Amino acid sequence: MKAIGFKTSLSIEKEDSFIAFETPKPTPKEHNLLVKVQAVSVNPVDFKMRQNSAKETVLETPKIIGWDAVGIVEAIGDEVSLFKVGDEVYYAGDITKPGSNAEYQLIDERIVGRKPKSLSIEQAAAMPLTGLTAWEILFDRIRIDAEKDKGKTILIIGGAGGVGSIAIQLAKKVAGLTVIATASRPESIEWCKQQGADFVVNHKNLIEEVRDAGFQQVDFILDFVNANQYWNAFVELIKPQGHIGCISDPVENVNLRQLKGKSVSFHWESMFTRSVFQTEDMIAQHHILNKLAHLLDNGTIQSTLKTTLNGLTVSNFKEAHKLLESGTTIGKIAIKI
């Protein structure tokens, strides 16, 4: 099968930052599905892995990354019970295994969902990683309850990004929260409003902007950008007994003791926790993906796809990574295989 990967960590402009190569098509065993990949999307984790996983070394076998895919089940392992050959599926995957940037991929059925029927392959490919991340941080980590918490306020940092876009939708349309999202450019402000944000504020003057919008403090804060930049603002803006959720990787320590006086809870979210550690509730991701598919199919939420590229080519993955690394992308970028 054909795959796109890399042997060493290079800046995206370098000729061999990605290479095309041939590798044997894998055979599924146990709980694994063999999926013929039809479309993928890219996420910040992709370029971070490309930049850091093969520094100052040359791998003997190229590394395949990619953690979002849509495809058709071509073969199944002997312990598979959730899917059959021919099923259309979508999934994010496991960061410790070969990724989706290839013609075929092995994937554990317990972290796979049924593709939303109403979406194109590229629209569906945009949703798994960000959808799982947003769902888990809202409902598994912070444990927001749609009945108990309806009408409460949530501040979403980085509203126009991949995770922010779907988090706005889930917070507003599923949890019933009042959503304040951050964005600074006219096009990103408009995108946040399209996703359902009640208010859009500029992150550059966060405290002032939130208060100008009419909120002295908020019940929940989700950080999808960089906790270091906004930590003091979070401490100031969060309500007593509130919750802060974070997916970013702070480059410096943050002072959690600043949250003690208000009894504020801090929550980490990594979408790969369940698959990497083979947790007892690993199958939860199968169920979440199916719930998201239902919400997409009945029109409660929408795909966050913004840009589509065509073809399993080095040039397309370079272009996608360049766009992501610019830090100005809106929504998601998909590549049709």
Side-chain angles (χ1 to χ4, degrees), residues 33-94:
L33 311 173
L34 176 66
V35 175
K36 181 174 176 56
V37 179
Q38 296 176 305
V40 302
S41 73
V42 293
N43 297 281
V45 65
D46 295 50
F47 74 74
K48 291 175 183 177
M49 287 291 287
R50 195 202 79 248
Q51 291 171 342
N52 297 300
S53 61
K55 276 187 172 181
E56 299 177 7
T57 187
V58 177
L59 304 174
E60 188 173 326
T61 303
K63 184 176 183 66
I64 305 170
I65 59 174
W67 293 282
D68 261 335
V70 166
I72 297 174
V73 177
E74 185 163 292
I76 61 175
D78 55 5
E79 295 181 31
V80 167
S81 62
L82 302 174
F83 299 96
K84 64 183 186 302
V85 172
D87 284 345
E88 292 183 299
V89 296
Y90 78 144
Y91 54 88
D94 179 341

Side-chain angles (χ1 to χ4, degrees), residues 87-145:
D87 284 345
E88 292 183 299
V89 296
Y90 78 144
Y91 54 88
D94 179 341
I95 201 168
T96 66
K97 306 287 176 60
S100 58
N101 299 346
E103 291 180 315
Y104 294 89
Q105 184 183 12
L106 285 183
I107 188 76
D108 191 303
E109 64 169 344
R110 293 168 291 183
I111 55 174
V112 174
R114 297 190 180 277
K115 173 191 170 288
K117 292 184 174 69
S118 63
L119 268 57
S120 67
I121 55 174
E122 59 269 32
Q123 287 173 326
M127 300 310 297
L129 185 145
T130 55
L132 284 166
T133 300
W135 185 282
E136 289 183 351
I137 200 167
L138 287 165
F139 304 118
D140 292 349
R141 309 297 173 236
I142 297 177
R143 299 184 182 180
I144 289 171
D145 183 299

Side-chain angles (χ1 to χ4, degrees), residues 182 256 302:
T182 70
L256 289 178
Q302 312 294 323

Side-chain angles (χ1 to χ4, degrees), residues 220-240:
F220 311 109
I221 296 175
L222 299 185
D223 169 42
F224 299 139
V225 182
N226 183 343
N228 288 130
Q229 284 182 257
Y230 309 109
W231 184 253
N232 288 332
F234 294 171
V235 172
E236 179 72 20
L237 289 170
I238 194 69
K239 282 185 180 179

Side-chain angles (χ1 to χ4, degrees), residues 56-326:
E56 299 177 7
T57 187
V58 177
L59 304 174
E60 188 173 326
T61 303
K63 184 176 183 66
I64 305 170
I65 59 174
W67 293 282
D68 261 335
V70 166
I72 297 174
V73 177
E74 185 163 292
I76 61 175
D78 55 5
E79 295 181 31
V80 167
S81 62
L82 302 174
F83 299 96
K84 64 183 186 302
V85 172
D87 284 345
E88 292 183 299
V89 296
Y90 78 144
Y91 54 88
D94 179 341
I95 201 168
T96 66
K97 306 287 176 60
S100 58
N101 299 346
E103 291 180 315
Y104 294 89
Q105 184 183 12
L106 285 183
I107 188 76
D108 191 303
E109 64 169 344
R110 293 168 291 183
I111 55 174
V112 174
R114 297 190 180 277
K115 173 191 170 288
K117 292 184 174 69
S118 63
L119 268 57
S120 67
I121 55 174
E122 59 269 32
Q123 287 173 326
M127 300 310 297
L129 185 145
T130 55
L132 284 166
T133 300
W135 185 282
E136 289 183 351
I137 200 167
L138 287 165
F139 304 118
D140 292 349
R141 309 297 173 236
I142 297 177
R143 299 184 182 180
I144 289 171
D145 183 299
E147 291 186 15
K148 176 174 64 73
D149 296 318
K150 185 177 180 180
K152 288 185 177 180
T153 48
I154 187 166
L155 173 61
I156 297 177
I157 310 298
V163 182
S165 298
I166 188 61
I168 290 172
Q169 294 188 52
L170 292 175
K172 181 65 182 177
K173 299 167 186 176
V174 177
L177 303 179
T178 298
V179 179
I180 309 160
T182 70
S184 59
R185 293 174 293 137
E187 58 268 34
S188 54
I189 293 169
E190 180 58 30
W191 176 263
C192 289
K193 290 178 180 177
Q194 290 172 11
Q195 306 315 301
D198 297 289
F199 302 88
V200 183
V201 301
N202 194 321
H203 52 270
K204 294 174 183 175
N205 302 292
L206 195 54
I207 297 174
E208 181 182 336
E209 288 266 328
V210 169
R211 290 184 173 163
D212 284 347
F215 303 94
Q216 189 69 15
Q217 295 180 320
V218 296
D219 296 286
F220 311 109
I221 296 175
L222 299 185
D223 169 42
F224 299 139
V225 182
N226 183 343
N228 288 130
Q229 284 182 257
Y230 309 109
W231 184 253
N232 288 332
F234 294 171
V235 172
E236 179 72 20
L237 289 170
I238 194 69
K239 282 185 180 179
Q241 303 183 103
H243 297 259
I244 299 172
C246 184
I247 68 168
S248 69
D249 298 312
V251 293
E252 299 172 4
N253 292 336
V254 294
N255 185 5
L256 289 178
R257 285 185 297 180
Q258 290 177 279
L259 305 179
K260 182 181 178 183
K262 290 183 179 179
S263 296
V264 169
S265 300
F266 184 86
H267 309 263
W268 282 117
E269 159 60 15
S270 170
M271 191 226 71
F272 296 112
T273 297
R274 283 174 160 136
S275 56
V276 168
F277 294 98
Q278 300 278 295
T279 61
E280 292 179 358
D281 68 344
M282 181 171 156
I283 199 170
Q285 291 199 337
H286 165 72
H287 298 308
I288 294 168
L289 286 169
N290 284 344
K291 288 175 186 175
L292 290 168
H294 176 71
L295 292 168
L296 288 159
D297 282 336
N298 70 18
T300 301
I301 60 175
Q302 312 294 323
S303 173
T304 57
L305 177 68
K306 186 70 172 172
T307 303
T308 302
L309 304 172
N310 289 284
L312 184 67
T313 65
V314 165
S315 60
N316 277 338
F317 283 97
K318 283 189 174 186
E319 175 65 15
H321 278 235
K322 281 180 186 175
L323 290 170
L324 269 188
E325 288 179 43
S326 74

